[in-house]
Amino acid sequence: MRLTYTSPGDLGRAPFWLQSACLTPWLALVLYLTHRFADDASVMLFLLPTVGFFVVLAIPGIAFDFQGVVFAGTFFCCFFSSAIFGTVLNGAGKDRVADLTMIAFYIAFAMVFGFGLFRLMGKAFQRLS
């Protein structure tokens, strides 16, 4: 099994920016679905990241470490959806902005962690096989 990884040269190419731009509507959809079906939030917490992972896998040319970004971002958007919507709907003034900024930082940090973790997992898997 051959895995591809995001290279520094990919960062300047249009396909990378296109897939990164598609990540934002996906995460917004994840937030909406998790909030809309709050009774099934625990199912969504595991279903949506898996769906995101396999949908990205089906797109040719997407790197394995970018799948980690999608997986981690989707998981944490599901996890924080109630906090995000609670802050937006019930937050007040500066506290709302600070809370949303921190939640966005946590999600971005999780996506960077997912990128690194999937890159390491892929490299380890390739060495073992």
Side-chain angles (χ1 to χ4, degrees):
M1 180 172 161
R2 177 143 165 44
L3 299 175
T4 59
Y5 301 100
T6 304
S7 69
D10 291 335
L11 300 178
R13 295 196 179 106
F16 176 78
W17 290 107
L18 180 64
Q19 70 190 20
S20 297
C22 290
L23 182 60
T24 303
W26 167 251
L27 295 179
L29 178 66
V30 166
L31 283 172
Y32 170 75
L33 290 174
T34 307
H35 179 69
R36 173 76 172 86
F37 302 106
D39 295 339
D40 299 326
S42 60
V43 172
M44 295 289 186
L45 186 63
F46 295 101
L47 177 68
L48 290 176
T50 305
V51 167
F53 180 82
F54 285 112
V55 165
V56 171
L57 178 65
I59 301 170
I62 300 291
F64 185 67
D65 45 18
F66 191 77
Q67 287 177 272
V69 170
V70 172
F71 184 83
T74 304
F75 183 84
F76 275 84
C77 279
C78 287
F79 184 76
F80 284 127
S81 71
S82 62
I84 290 170
F85 277 95
T87 301
V88 168
L89 297 176
N90 302 326
K94 279 192 162 195
D95 291 340
R96 177 173 39 193
V97 173
D99 290 344
L100 288 175
T101 302
M102 286 308 298
I103 291 170
F105 174 76
Y106 293 149
I107 292 171
F109 179 76
M111 290 166 61
V112 169
F113 179 77
F115 179 86
L117 179 67
F118 272 61
R119 183 170 276 230
L120 287 174
M121 283 189 331
K123 298 259 183 196
F125 179 75
Q126 283 181 326
R127 283 199 181 241
L128 291 174
S129 44

